[in-house]
Amino acid sequence: DAGVIQSPRHEVTEMGQEVTLRCKPISGHDYLFWYRQTMMRGLELLIYFNNNVPIDDSGMPEDRFSAKMPNASFSTLKIQPSEPRDSAVYFCASSRPPLQETQYFGPGTRLLVL
Amino acid sequence: AQSVTQPDIHITVSEGASLELRCNYSYGATPYLFWYVQSPGQGLQLLLKYFSGDTLVQGIKGFEAEFKRSQSSFNLRKPSVHWSDAAEYFCAVGFQTGANNLFFGTGTRLTVIP
């Protein structure tokens, strides 16, 4: 299996621009998670989906962030407008049910907002 | 409230020495417990996990961890560290609350010196 695929791997943008991060989970995994990692806050769960439906988005920092999962093989995390404090590494992970199953992480997208 | 704590931010060990990384959680029941490793510029990779049964679990790369209910701990150990073990290590806890997400500790950075 190819593992979780994320694109782009690196993104540099200017404040105010829209940023879209993409994720392809492992085939057959019903759960998809978006995390953000920063030095200050560590690894934070932003949102997760089950069977393409958002289950818990309480970690999404504010309305500038949105996530979608239009089908079982694709998800996006969008930031509009972006701000310098959004600079972080964003990880996507997927897993099978139930909770005990391992989450498999993608390589991450390193975002820098200038 | 549920929480997971990794008290050591940074640990330095000599190659060949033994290693123990600490993880404590706060929860009323037995959680699901994981250790992940993150190499620089990479995503997280599962080292081992505990759900039930034998409290000493073996993982990949020669790591093991022991669940101690009385101490609410799940410490990671390795008898002889290799230079390639230098990385960031995350303890994660899944709670039986019906929410299918993990809570991650803040991580412990391991440096290995010759």
Side-chain angles (χ1 to χ4, degrees), chain A residues 13-20 62-66 77-83 86 111:
Chain A
T13 190
E14 293 186 345
M15 182 174 63
Q17 296 299 305
E18 178 179 293
V19 175
T20 299
E62 48 196 276
D63 292 344
R64 297 184 298 106
F65 285 70
S66 63
L77 178 68
K78 187 173 295 186
I79 309 172
Q80 167 62 18
S82 58
E83 296 183 3
D86 302 330
L111 173 64

Tab-separated table of all heavy atoms in Angstrom, chain A residues 13-20 62-66 77-83 86 111:
chain	number	residue	atom	x	y	z
A	13	THR	N	3.372	30.806	1.425
A	13	THR	CA	2.376	31.721	0.899
A	13	THR	C	2.413	33.028	1.668
A	13	THR	O	3.071	33.125	2.706
A	13	THR	CB	0.971	31.092	0.977
A	13	THR	OG1	0.045	31.892	0.244
A	13	THR	CG2	0.510	30.994	2.427
A	14	GLU	N	1.713	33.992	1.172
A	14	GLU	CA	1.664	35.288	1.839
A	14	GLU	C	0.373	35.424	2.639
A	14	GLU	O	-0.669	34.862	2.252
A	14	GLU	CB	1.784	36.409	0.822
A	14	GLU	CG	3.153	36.463	0.160
A	14	GLU	CD	3.312	37.676	-0.739
A	14	GLU	OE1	2.295	38.315	-1.064
A	14	GLU	OE2	4.470	37.975	-1.097
A	15	MET	N	0.457	36.152	3.682
A	15	MET	CA	-0.701	36.390	4.525
A	15	MET	C	-1.885	36.859	3.686
A	15	MET	O	-1.726	37.701	2.786
A	15	MET	CB	-0.355	37.449	5.569
A	15	MET	CG	-1.464	37.750	6.556
A	15	MET	SD	-0.912	38.884	7.843
A	15	MET	CE	-0.524	40.326	6.891
A	16	GLY	N	-3.054	36.285	3.970
A	16	GLY	CA	-4.266	36.663	3.260
A	16	GLY	C	-4.619	35.735	2.123
A	16	GLY	O	-5.755	35.744	1.633
A	17	GLN	N	-3.661	34.930	1.699
A	17	GLN	CA	-3.913	33.996	0.603
A	17	GLN	C	-4.643	32.755	1.100
A	17	GLN	O	-4.565	32.387	2.277
A	17	GLN	CB	-2.602	33.595	-0.062
A	17	GLN	CG	-1.860	34.736	-0.735
A	17	GLN	CD	-2.676	35.364	-1.845
A	17	GLN	OE1	-3.137	34.682	-2.768
A	17	GLN	NE2	-2.886	36.668	-1.764
A	18	GLU	N	-5.326	32.123	0.177
A	18	GLU	CA	-5.992	30.856	0.483
A	18	GLU	C	-5.003	29.713	0.333
A	18	GLU	O	-4.206	29.687	-0.605
A	18	GLU	CB	-7.175	30.640	-0.462
A	18	GLU	CG	-7.890	29.313	-0.246
A	18	GLU	CD	-9.074	29.151	-1.186
A	18	GLU	OE1	-10.048	29.906	-1.031
A	18	GLU	OE2	-9.008	28.268	-2.069
A	19	VAL	N	-5.060	28.781	1.274
A	19	VAL	CA	-4.183	27.620	1.244
A	19	VAL	C	-5.055	26.361	1.268
A	19	VAL	O	-5.995	26.274	2.068
A	19	VAL	CB	-3.244	27.602	2.468
A	19	VAL	CG1	-2.428	26.328	2.497
A	19	VAL	CG2	-2.337	28.826	2.457
A	20	THR	N	-4.749	25.417	0.414
A	20	THR	CA	-5.471	24.143	0.398
A	20	THR	C	-4.488	23.001	0.534
A	20	THR	O	-3.576	22.855	-0.276
A	20	THR	CB	-6.279	23.980	-0.888
A	20	THR	OG1	-7.247	25.042	-0.982
A	20	THR	CG2	-7.030	22.647	-0.876
A	62	GLU	N	-10.551	28.257	14.113
A	62	GLU	CA	-11.504	29.338	13.863
A	62	GLU	C	-12.121	29.158	12.487
A	62	GLU	O	-11.794	28.212	11.763
A	62	GLU	CB	-10.804	30.687	13.979
A	62	GLU	CG	-9.501	30.794	13.213
A	62	GLU	CD	-8.661	31.980	13.673
A	62	GLU	OE1	-8.898	33.095	13.183
A	62	GLU	OE2	-7.768	31.782	14.518
A	63	ASP	N	-13.024	30.069	12.164
A	63	ASP	CA	-13.780	29.918	10.920
A	63	ASP	C	-12.918	30.003	9.670
A	63	ASP	O	-13.383	29.637	8.584
A	63	ASP	CB	-14.881	30.983	10.847
A	63	ASP	CG	-15.946	30.750	11.889
A	63	ASP	OD1	-15.992	29.635	12.446
A	63	ASP	OD2	-16.736	31.681	12.157
A	64	ARG	N	-11.730	30.448	9.803
A	64	ARG	CA	-10.856	30.519	8.625
A	64	ARG	C	-10.457	29.120	8.156
A	64	ARG	O	-10.008	28.948	7.026
A	64	ARG	CB	-9.595	31.315	8.947
A	64	ARG	CG	-9.852	32.769	9.309
A	64	ARG	CD	-8.535	33.530	9.517
A	64	ARG	NE	-7.739	32.997	10.622
A	64	ARG	CZ	-6.639	32.271	10.466
A	64	ARG	NH1	-6.193	31.989	9.259
A	64	ARG	NH2	-5.984	31.831	11.530
A	65	PHE	N	-10.617	28.153	9.032
A	65	PHE	CA	-10.261	26.775	8.706
A	65	PHE	C	-11.524	26.001	8.318
A	65	PHE	O	-12.550	26.098	8.989
A	65	PHE	CB	-9.617	26.088	9.903
A	65	PHE	CG	-8.202	26.504	10.179
A	65	PHE	CD1	-7.920	27.777	10.656
A	65	PHE	CD2	-7.148	25.628	9.968
A	65	PHE	CE1	-6.612	28.174	10.910
A	65	PHE	CE2	-5.843	26.011	10.224
A	65	PHE	CZ	-5.569	27.275	10.693
A	66	SER	N	-11.410	25.213	7.261
A	66	SER	CA	-12.504	24.332	6.885
A	66	SER	C	-11.920	23.056	6.307
A	66	SER	O	-10.844	23.055	5.729
A	66	SER	CB	-13.435	25.006	5.864
A	66	SER	OG	-12.738	25.278	4.666
A	77	LEU	N	-8.014	20.318	3.556
A	77	LEU	CA	-8.043	21.270	4.662
A	77	LEU	C	-7.712	22.625	4.065
A	77	LEU	O	-6.674	22.796	3.442
A	77	LEU	CB	-7.025	20.892	5.731
A	77	LEU	CG	-6.919	21.834	6.931
A	77	LEU	CD1	-8.183	21.788	7.777
A	77	LEU	CD2	-5.708	21.471	7.801
A	78	LYS	N	-8.624	23.566	4.245
A	78	LYS	CA	-8.466	24.867	3.620
A	78	LYS	C	-8.347	25.948	4.689
A	78	LYS	O	-9.058	25.919	5.710
A	78	LYS	CB	-9.657	25.156	2.700
A	78	LYS	CG	-9.531	26.409	1.860
A	78	LYS	CD	-10.685	26.518	0.865
A	78	LYS	CE	-10.662	25.422	-0.156
A	78	LYS	NZ	-11.691	25.601	-1.204
A	79	ILE	N	-7.467	26.895	4.433
A	79	ILE	CA	-7.309	28.054	5.307
A	79	ILE	C	-7.510	29.296	4.444
A	79	ILE	O	-6.799	29.505	3.465
A	79	ILE	CB	-5.907	28.099	5.962
A	79	ILE	CG1	-5.573	26.769	6.631
A	79	ILE	CG2	-5.853	29.234	6.997
A	79	ILE	CD1	-4.138	26.677	7.136
A	80	GLN	N	-8.504	30.088	4.814
A	80	GLN	CA	-8.821	31.268	4.038
A	80	GLN	C	-9.421	32.341	4.930
A	80	GLN	O	-10.519	32.135	5.472
A	80	GLN	CB	-9.794	30.920	2.906
A	80	GLN	CG	-10.444	32.094	2.196
A	80	GLN	CD	-9.472	33.013	1.477
A	80	GLN	OE1	-8.337	32.636	1.213
A	80	GLN	NE2	-9.886	34.227	1.202
A	81	PRO	N	-8.768	33.489	5.105
A	81	PRO	CA	-7.423	33.812	4.644
A	81	PRO	C	-6.362	33.289	5.603
A	81	PRO	O	-6.627	33.119	6.797
A	81	PRO	CB	-7.446	35.347	4.675
A	81	PRO	CG	-8.360	35.669	5.813
A	81	PRO	CD	-9.419	34.595	5.811
A	82	SER	N	-5.195	33.021	5.086
A	82	SER	CA	-4.116	32.506	5.936
A	82	SER	C	-3.450	33.636	6.714
A	82	SER	O	-3.451	34.801	6.279
A	82	SER	CB	-3.083	31.763	5.085
A	82	SER	OG	-2.554	32.620	4.097
A	83	GLU	N	-2.889	33.285	7.870
A	83	GLU	CA	-2.177	34.233	8.718
A	83	GLU	C	-0.844	33.614	9.131
A	83	GLU	O	-0.709	32.380	9.150
A	83	GLU	CB	-3.013	34.558	9.957
A	83	GLU	CG	-4.326	35.257	9.657
A	83	GLU	CD	-5.100	35.629	10.901
A	83	GLU	OE1	-4.589	35.393	12.023
A	83	GLU	OE2	-6.224	36.154	10.759
A	86	ASP	N	-0.624	30.617	11.377
A	86	ASP	CA	-1.030	29.306	10.848
A	86	ASP	C	0.170	28.469	10.411
A	86	ASP	O	0.007	27.291	10.063
A	86	ASP	CB	-1.971	29.477	9.660
A	86	ASP	CG	-3.216	30.269	10.014
A	86	ASP	OD1	-3.649	30.204	11.179
A	86	ASP	OD2	-3.739	30.975	9.121
A	111	LEU	N	3.789	24.242	6.238
A	111	LEU	CA	3.209	25.495	5.757
A	111	LEU	C	3.896	26.682	6.406
A	111	LEU	O	4.039	26.743	7.621
A	111	LEU	CB	1.709	25.547	6.086
A	111	LEU	CG	0.998	26.866	5.790
A	111	LEU	CD1	0.994	27.173	4.305
A	111	LEU	CD2	-0.419	26.843	6.353
